[in-house]
Amino acid sequence: MSHAKVALCSIVFLIAVLSSGTGRAQPSSLPSVETQNAIKRLTVEPRGSRQQNTQFKEFRVDKDKLPAGSAGQLKLDDQGNASAPLVVPNTLLLQFEPTASKADIDTLLTKRGLTVVDTYPAIGAVKVEGDLSKYFAPTLSDRTANEALLRGVTGVIDDFKSEPIVRSATPDVILTPKADQLILNLLTATDVAPITLAAGEVERLDWGIVDIEASKLWTLKGASDGALLGVMDVGFARHEDITFLELLDRIEVHDHGNHVAGIGCARHGNGKGVRGVIPNCFVRATTADVFFTSAGGNPTLGFFVVFSQVLASFDRFLNDYADLKVINLSMGYNWRSNFGINPDAPESEQWRKLVESQGVFLVSVLELANKSGKVVVSAAGNDSSALTHPIMAKYASPFNWAAITAREKGIRNGVIVEAHDQGKKRASFSNSGGHISCPGVNILSVVARDAGGNQSDAMYGTMSGTSMASPYCASALVLLSLVRPGYTGVELVDCMMASADKTDAGTPMLKLTQAIIKCPSK
C-alpha cells in the first residue's frame, strides 16, 4: 500500500497499570471531592433517541490541498465537491475549575440554557446540549461556508471559557467520519489471506517483532506470565489468533481493532497465524460509544465517533478495569488526509485552538491515570506524506498535545510514538516530534474480514500507520514490565527511550535488549 494512501491517524493510548513518577509538584487540574459530588448530583437527561436526530456541520474539503492521489478516493457530490462531517453543532463539552460548586454549575447551566446529557466527574467535566446556532450563523463577510464553521468553533470555545468556573470548553467534534464519505479515514488492509503453515512451522513473526527484539525476551523469567491488553478501537471480531475477554456481541466489526490487538496479543503456540509481542496475552476490547445516523441528507446509514464518546468510554475503561496492564485507544483527525489541513501552518491557528481546548480535558485524564500509576502512549499521526518538513505531532491530535503539555507540568506518563520502516527511516507518513519510534510500515497482523469484505475468524493482512507503531511500543512496555518487575512505568519508559539506535530523523528506536540493560534486574 502506498504511503499516500495511509490515512488513519490513529491515536493509540496504551495505559500500563504500572507505578509512575510525576516529577515536580504542580497545581492539580483534577476536581475537588466537592466538585465531583456536585457533578454526580446533576440531573442527566436520558439519551433515548436523541442521537438519531443529531445534525452535523460539515467541512468543505479543498481537493487541491489533499495529499497526492487522495482526491480520487473521495466521494463527491453532484457539483464535484467533497465534504466531511466535523462538528456536532448543539453539543458542548465543559470542564469546570477544580473548586466549582453545585450552585455555580447550576447557575451557569440555567443562564446558558443547557441540558446535561453526560457527566465525567473524575475529570470535572460534563456534556451538555443547547441552542448554539448563533455561533455558526453565516455573515455577509464569509467567503466560504468553512469560515462560518470555524468562527462558530472558536466562538463557542472563547465565549464559554470566559465563564469564571469553566476551565475548558469545546464543541463536540467528529473523530471518525463515515468511511463512505472519506474512505481515507479508516485504514484498509492489503494482502488479506489466511496463513497456511507448513508441517512443523511455528507461527510467523512480523518484521516488527524482530526489529524491537521482543523475541529475545520471551525466554526470560516472567515473560510468559499472563498479561491483559485493553484495546479501545472502532471495532473488533472474534478470531482464531486472539483470546478476547468479554467481547460484546453487539460490536462493530472492523479490521483496525483486530490488527492493533494482534500486534500485541496474537497467540503463541497455537500453530496458527502470527505471534504478538506478549507471549501469554488476553485482550479486553471495547469500542468507543458510536452511534448511527445520516448526515448532510445522505440516506446511507453509517457510524460516527465523536470526541465526547471517546472521552466517556475512556473514562469508564479507566475506572472499571483496574486489572488491565494496557489500554489501547486508536482514533484521530488525519488533518491532511481528511480535510487538507496542515495544523502547523500559520493560517491554522483556529484548528490549533480546537486541539488545545480538547487537550486540556486529556491533561486531566493523564493526571488521573498517573495517580494510579498508568503510562499512556499515543501515536504521532500520519499527516506527513510527501512533505519536505514533516508535521509535528503536538497538534496532530489532542492526545499528543496533552502528552506534551502534561510533561511540561511534571506529569511524565504520556509517550508519543513515531513510525519507522525496515530501513530504519522515519516512515514517510509519520509525523515527527515523538519520544520514541517503533515499526509501522507493512505490518502483518490479524484482520476481521476476508478480501471480499466478509467477516472471517482466520484472516491476516498488512497495514501501515503510526497506529501500528504505538501498540508495538506499548505492548513492549508491558513485556518489559513482566521481565523487569520493581520498576515504575515511567522508569521503564525511560529505559526504552534510552536506545542508542536512531531513525534517520534522530528519534530513538525501541530495542528491548538495550532496555533491559538500562533497567537491570532488582
Side-chain angles (χ1 to χ4, degrees), residues 147-196:
E147 287 191 10
L149 174 61
L150 290 177
R151 187 179 63 254
V153 169
T154 56
V156 167
I157 293 171
D158 290 341
D159 190 15
F160 281 89
K161 283 182 67 175
S162 69
E163 295 284 355
I165 68 164
V166 174
R167 183 169 179 264
S168 189
T170 177
D172 222 356
V173 176
I174 303 291
L175 278 162
T176 307
K178 287 196 308 180
D180 68 349
Q181 291 205 339
L182 283 177
I183 67 170
L184 298 175
N185 289 293
L186 299 177
L187 219 60
T188 301
T190 60
D191 303 319
V192 174
I195 292 178
T196 302

Side-chain angles (χ1 to χ4, degrees), residues 21 47 86 90 117 142 216 219 228 247 274 334 408 410 420 428 434 483:
R47 292 189 176 188
L86 180 65
N90 289 324
V117 295
D142 290 336
K216 294 184 178 181
T219 58
L228 285 175
L247 187 66
V274 298
N334 301 316
E408 294 169 353
H420 64 259
S428 63
V483 301

Side-chain angles (χ1 to χ4, degrees), residues 53-70:
N53 300 319
T54 300
Q55 297 298 311
F56 298 94
K57 291 289 185 182
E58 295 191 339
F59 181 83
R60 183 59 57 92
V61 178
D62 185 342
K63 300 187 294 295
D64 294 336
K65 294 183 178 179
L66 295 171
S70 297

Side-chain angles (χ1 to χ4, degrees), residues 215-294:
S215 55
K216 294 184 178 181
L217 271 61
W218 289 344
T219 58
L220 298 182
K221 181 181 178 181
S224 293
D225 291 351
L228 285 175
L229 172 66
V231 182
M232 186 188 300
D233 213 285
V234 294
F236 305 88
R238 294 196 178 277
H239 196 280
E240 65 179 10
D241 217 6
I242 301 177
T243 303
F244 286 105
L245 298 180
E246 302 173 345
L247 187 66
L248 299 177
D249 292 331
R250 295 183 62 186
I251 200 166
E252 282 303 304
V253 174
H254 204 279
D255 286 337
H256 191 266
N258 273 26
H259 202 273
V260 170
I263 288 170
C265 281
R267 294 169 60 189
H268 291 214
N270 65 339
K272 298 178 180 179
V274 298
R275 290 187 175 186
V277 172
I278 306 167
N280 185 12
C281 186
F282 305 87
V283 177
R284 178 165 277 137
T286 184
T287 59
D289 288 339
V290 301
F291 63 93
F292 294 85
T293 188
S294 59

Side-chain angles (χ1 to χ4, degrees), residues 305-340:
V305 179
V306 295
F307 180 72
S308 63
Q309 295 165 332
V310 173
L311 195 65
S313 296
F314 192 39
D315 182 61
R316 289 197 305 273
F317 224 8
L318 276 177
N319 294 324
D320 295 347
Y321 296 101
D323 59 341
L324 288 177
K325 293 287 186 179
V326 169
I327 301 172
N328 170 51
L329 172 64
S330 300
M331 308 226 176
Y333 288 124
N334 301 316
W335 291 122
R336 284 188 70 227
S337 299
N338 292 343
F339 306 109

Side-chain angles (χ1 to χ4, degrees), residues 438-500:
C438 269
V441 179
N442 295 329
I443 302 301
L444 175 65
S445 186
V446 171
V447 295
R449 297 184 184 276
D450 63 21
N454 302 305
Q455 185 175 340
S456 171
D457 64 356
M459 291 293 150
Y460 301 81
T462 58
M463 290 187 178
S464 299
T466 52
S467 51
M468 282 66 251
S470 281
Y472 258 121
C473 274
S475 56
L477 173 60
V478 175
L479 176 60
L480 186 59
S481 74
L482 293 174
V483 301
R484 287 294 186 262
Y487 285 89
T488 69
V490 167
E491 287 171 342
L492 292 173
V493 169
D494 288 344
C495 291
M496 290 166 57
M497 290 168 51
S499 173

